[in-house]
Amino acid sequence: MNHIERDMAALSDAEADRLPTYPIACGVNRKLLGDNVTYSMWCKDPKIFANGFIAGQKYFDFDFAIGLMDLSVMAGDLGAHVRMDDENTPFVDKHIVHSLEDYEKLEVPDIRKGRSHVIVEGTRLFNEKLKNEVICAAFLEGPLLALTQTAGAERVFMDMFTDPSAVHAGLRTMVEFDRQMVEAFSETGVAGLVWDYLWGNYSCLGDEEYNEFEGCDKYAGMLNKLTADSGMALCIHNCADLPHLDTQVKKFKPVIYSMAYYPLIPDSPSAGEVIDKGYADNCLIAGNIDPQMFIRAKTEKISKVTSDLCQEVKTALCRRGLKSRYCIASGCEVPPDRATKLDNIKAVVDTVKRDGVLEGC
Amino acid sequence: MNKEEILNGLSEAVILGKPDQARSYAQRSIDEGIDPLDAINNGLVKGMSVVGDRYAAREVYLPQVLMSANTMYAGLDILLPMIPSEELEDKKKVAIGVVEGDVHDIGKNIVKTMMTAGGFEVKDLGRDVPIETFISVAESIKTDVVAMSTLMTPTMDGMKDVIDGLIESGYRSKVKVVIGGPPTSPEFAEEIGADHRDANAQDSVAWLKEALF
């Protein structure tokens, strides 16, 4: 099978030669473009951004390509100050909401400029090059994530409690920002759009709060429908520790759901448990190698972890009567550090090719 | 209003996340001559413990916890200055901060709150804290604990730099070093020479109490 045949088989739970794999390697791909290419260069130039994914595909032989940049793109374009070190993931260091009135003042920026433009144009470029090889998807911050990045998470959470109407005012602007980005991404030709709905996790919000400030009946529900109506497959990424699986998998109904695993957190679901509980019945679950292993583990160790995960997944799929609906991935982005070992990314892919082979139950 | 009603009012203010109520009851406790340490421990801290337990049981979530923490500090701002300094001398001291290069501090703030509620005197160094600041503050105020967190992978090595700096300065043997944040793990703590890494704030505070008291 080629990559796309394998992806399509896994998405529909048909017979596949092996499990698909996609360690979420994005910014780290710049290392393949030369030592002089810094993170800040990669995330500010659409061509360099795209070339990173193209080089990554050639070197690692992934089954998917997802255009994740970082989580300060929207906040930065909204006017928050982004600290942009050469080799660190950029992050917001000065928020722009200092009073309840400030939520009302947020305005959607011109998405033909700034890093919104970079990510849209860069996604278009890598999709053009890779679309016949792998399934390509764009990546976008959900409205609540974009607002917390802009206003500060602590501020937003407390205002949810005391002044929810102000938070909703800010969210309406984020939804309009997201709506314009969905439109722009739909014109790039990508097959899917991955939403980062990070705050749907029980370490931060309960069902009631999540439903009020992002959930099914609110902003996310509308944006999910818009995604599908715009011709892109709905995908979700949530690397938090206790994701709202019933809402984000069963109610949102994405075709792909990418999640992490935190073995030290009680109730954090393992790959086997996620499959056993039926979340892979209608959705390709992607997970859950610890991203830290790409920096800190020896190659033999990450190969062993990948091999064990393949076995766990294959056993659970059989137990559940499923054929192929799990993608061996990294839960969160592979750290884009200079210190990340490219050999470890390759080891994951190579191990899945060997130990992810599906031979029937 | 009797003492019990005032203490319950302080607890309730924290549980419900009402800073104005906490300030009002804190002032009343002073006016009624209640020992401020009693008002803190059996009012504010008692309330925060209830919230901590409910958070651990997933009965309340981050918005409520943050508001309760905010409320506890509103009460503490009034009550702490009323405590004679010699009564605070026995308190174990913590210097806590987010390491240099990172500004994500919700987790650090939750841990700080639980440490305060757990009876520690906490010096909050804030976020994006230079390595030298952790070391110099630890030495100058003679902390018993250095607590560091980060959300971001590239800044994790800053934790090791702080520990190495504490070793160089000769202060490492006098402090417990605890770390936290999603990319960290007990294995990483061991690798860099930290004493402990826990999955949540309450367990971390419980470990410190066991280790120090």
Side-chain angles (χ1 to χ4, degrees):
Chain A
M1 281 180 156
N2 64 29
H3 295 300
I4 292 179
E5 288 168 344
R6 185 175 304 109
D7 294 341
M8 294 307 292
L11 284 164
S12 56
D13 195 40
E15 303 277 354
D17 58 346
R18 64 165 169 83
L19 296 167
T21 183
Y22 184 54
I24 309 172
C26 301
V28 71
N29 288 331
R30 77 188 184 286
K31 288 176 68 174
L32 297 166
L33 303 177
D35 288 342
N36 59 331
V37 179
T38 63
Y39 189 99
S40 65
M41 288 163 69
W42 175 79
C43 75
K44 286 195 268 192
D45 184 321
K47 284 183 187 162
I48 300 176
F49 178 79
N51 285 341
F53 286 99
I54 294 162
Q57 182 58 34
K58 188 176 176 187
Y59 187 77
F60 298 116
D61 200 28
F62 297 132
D63 286 312
F64 291 93
I66 293 171
L68 165 63
M69 187 179 278
D70 57 72
L71 303 183
S72 62
V73 175
M74 292 175 73
D77 286 355
L78 281 153
H81 185 266
V82 175
R83 181 163 144 182
M84 184 79 71
D85 300 338
D86 266 355
E87 294 294 2
N88 192 358
T89 307
F91 57 90
V92 176
D93 63 355
K94 283 181 191 149
H95 301 113
I96 52 171
V97 172
H98 306 292
S99 69
L100 295 176
E101 293 72 34
D102 286 347
Y103 285 106
E104 290 277 2
K105 293 177 190 164
L106 294 171
E107 288 183 7
V108 179
D110 183 348
I111 66 166
R112 294 166 303 179
K113 298 175 181 172
R115 289 207 291 151
S116 295
H117 166 71
V118 175
I119 195 169
V120 171
E121 179 60 12
T123 299
R124 186 182 69 75
L125 290 171
F126 83 70
N127 179 66
E128 272 179 9
K129 189 76 177 173
L130 300 178
K131 66 182 176 187
N132 294 323
E133 190 176 341
V134 290
I135 289 182
C136 298
F139 185 95
L140 186 54
E141 299 158 55
L144 189 52
L145 175 56
L147 184 63
T148 55
Q149 291 290 87
T150 306
E154 195 162 332
R155 153 128 233 154
V156 172
F157 285 143
M158 286 201 275
D159 289 339
M160 277 179 179
F161 191 81
T162 55
D163 298 282
S165 63
V167 176
H168 281 295
L171 285 169
R172 283 192 289 274
T173 303
M174 298 304 131
V175 169
E176 174 55 20
F177 191 171
D178 275 332
R179 190 196 65 72
Q180 293 185 23
M181 291 294 284
V182 170
E183 198 172 275
F185 278 132
S186 75
E187 290 167 5
T188 67
V190 286
L193 174 59
V194 179
W195 286 96
D196 195 330
Y197 290 144
L198 176 73
W199 295 119
N201 77 79
Y202 292 109
S203 284
C204 295
L205 298 177
D207 289 323
E208 193 180 328
E209 293 89 349
Y210 185 62
N211 198 43
E212 175 171 357
F213 293 99
E214 188 162 80
C216 214
D217 305 325
K218 288 272 184 172
Y219 313 115
M222 190 272 279
L223 291 167
N224 293 344
K225 182 173 184 310
L226 180 67
T227 303
D229 290 348
S230 302
M232 295 179 287
L234 171 66
C235 313
I236 294 173
H237 172 71
N238 185 347
C239 62
D241 47 3
L242 298 166
H244 287 204
L245 293 176
D246 282 341
T247 296
Q248 295 190 334
V249 176
K250 293 197 171 171
K251 290 185 182 169
F252 287 0
K253 298 184 180 9
V255 298
I256 300 175
Y257 189 84
S258 161
M259 60 184 289
Y261 174 47
Y262 296 83
L264 298 175
I265 306 270
D267 299 333
S268 177
S270 66
E273 286 166 341
V274 170
I275 294 167
D276 287 343
K277 289 178 181 169
Y279 296 108
D281 288 359
N282 297 296
C283 174
L284 176 61
I285 302 293
N288 60 20
I289 295 166
D290 178 0
Q292 287 307 311
M293 295 200 76
F294 292 92
I295 295 184
R296 300 186 187 280
K298 289 184 176 167
T299 303
E300 298 75 35
K301 171 74 176 171
I302 199 166
S303 296
K304 172 77 167 60
V305 166
T306 304
S307 181
D308 290 348
L309 179 60
C310 286
Q311 195 53 53
E312 178 190 353
V313 164
K314 288 194 290 185
T315 304
L317 288 173
C318 281
R319 207 163 46 227
R320 189 72 189 174
L322 296 170
K323 296 187 183 75
S324 58
R325 212 177 249 140
Y326 198 98
C327 176
I328 303 296
S330 53
C332 294
E333 184 191 7
V334 172
D337 299 38
R338 278 270 160 212
T340 293
K341 298 170 185 168
L342 299 184
D343 284 352
N344 282 6
I345 302 172
K346 197 143 183 45
V348 169
V349 175
D350 290 345
T351 303
V352 177
K353 285 179 179 176
R354 188 190 65 216
D355 296 341
V357 171
L358 295 162
E359 294 161 326
C361 299
Chain B
M1 187 170 280
N2 64 32
K3 179 180 171 182
E4 192 181 345
E5 287 170 325
I6 291 171
L7 295 180
N8 286 340
L10 285 165
S11 288
E12 186 188 80
V14 172
I15 292 166
L16 298 176
K18 294 187 169 178
D20 289 344
Q21 182 179 324
R23 286 186 201 98
S24 168
Y25 276 98
Q27 191 54 55
R28 279 190 198 189
S29 78
I30 292 167
D31 296 343
E32 296 294 329
I34 297 171
D35 177 357
L37 214 49
D38 199 7
I40 290 170
N41 290 333
N42 295 308
L44 298 172
V45 167
K46 192 174 164 191
M48 199 65 224
S49 298
V50 170
V51 174
D53 290 344
R54 287 184 182 175
Y55 179 56
R58 285 180 218 132
E59 293 166 5
V60 298
Y61 295 93
L62 216 44
Q64 295 92 328
V65 174
L66 291 168
M67 275 312 296
S68 292
N70 205 26
T71 302
M72 183 182 77
Y73 287 116
L76 285 175
D77 283 347
I78 293 170
L79 291 168
L80 276 176
M82 298 294 123
I83 301 174
S85 54
E86 59 269 21
E87 282 189 36
L88 293 174
E89 278 172 7
D90 291 341
K91 279 197 162 193
K92 299 291 183 189
K93 292 177 185 167
V94 181
I96 188 170
V98 177
V99 295
E100 189 166 21
D102 194 359
V103 294
H104 299 90
D105 62 355
I106 285 190
K108 182 267 292 175
N109 290 341
I110 299 284
V111 173
K112 172 186 140 189
T113 301
M114 292 306 171
M115 284 176 165
T116 305
F120 290 88
E121 184 183 337
V122 184
K123 171 80 174 170
D124 186 0
L125 305 178
R127 50 196 201 174
D128 194 15
V129 181
I131 293 155
E132 304 74 35
T133 304
F134 277 105
I135 299 161
S136 62
V137 170
E139 286 181 321
S140 64
I141 65 171
K142 296 186 171 44
T143 62
D144 303 285
V145 180
V146 170
M148 299 179 278
S149 85
T150 188
L151 179 74
M152 300 171 68
T153 302
T155 54
M156 288 168 70
D157 290 336
M159 294 175 165
K160 183 173 188 318
D161 294 339
V162 170
I163 293 169
D164 289 347
L166 287 167
I167 292 169
E168 250 177 60
S169 72
Y171 199 73
R172 177 65 184 90
S173 59
K174 298 180 177 121
V175 283
K176 297 291 179 194
V177 177
V178 293
I179 63 167
T184 65
S185 63
E187 292 76 25
F188 177 70
E190 191 179 340
E191 182 186 320
I192 64 171
D195 294 301
H196 192 66
R197 189 271 184 198
D198 223 315
N200 63 59
Q202 282 181 306
D203 289 347
S204 197
V205 173
W207 182 87
L208 275 174
K209 283 183 164 179
E210 185 85 21
L212 289 171
F213 292 104

